[in-house]
Amino acid sequence: MEAAHCSGWLSRFRESGIKTELYPDAAKMKKQMGYADKNNIPFVILAGENEIATGKLTLKNMIEGSQESLTIDEIIARLS
């Protein structure tokens, strides 16, 4: 996912008080998940072609391993 495409989402999350960072490289998903796990990041957002097409992002709970498809507003409500 291009950083430019995600910048609007990042701003919305940060404005809502949600600490947010974007993985800096176009690395494989396994490496990105390993980074989140190593840094004790409790939730990650997966934003691929399917998510963009549906207007919903996948919110993954790194502790439970569960994930669900939500709108940006639903994610903000869940994490705020």
Side-chain angles (χ1 to χ4, degrees):
M1 180 60 42
E2 291 182 27
H5 191 81
C6 297
S7 65
W9 301 334
L10 294 173
S11 295
R12 292 227 16 229
F13 294 135
R14 289 175 180 154
E15 289 167 1
S16 298
I18 300 168
K19 293 181 183 180
T20 308
E21 71 178 272
L22 180 63
Y23 191 81
D25 301 326
K28 302 253 184 215
M29 184 67 64
K30 183 176 180 177
K31 186 173 182 179
Q32 293 180 40
M33 292 297 149
Y35 173 86
D37 194 42
K38 178 182 172 187
N39 289 286
N40 297 315
I41 297 171
F43 294 93
V44 298
I45 293 177
L46 309 174
E49 292 179 20
N50 290 340
E51 287 80 9
I52 292 169
T54 62
K56 292 189 172 190
L57 304 173
T58 300
L59 178 67
K60 180 172 178 73
N61 182 321
M62 294 295 288
I63 298 165
E64 298 174 359
S66 62
Q67 61 185 45
E68 56 190 317
S69 182
L70 302 167
T71 65
I72 292 172
D73 292 332
E74 291 169 331
I75 292 170
I76 290 170
R78 178 85 37 97
L79 300 180
S80 295

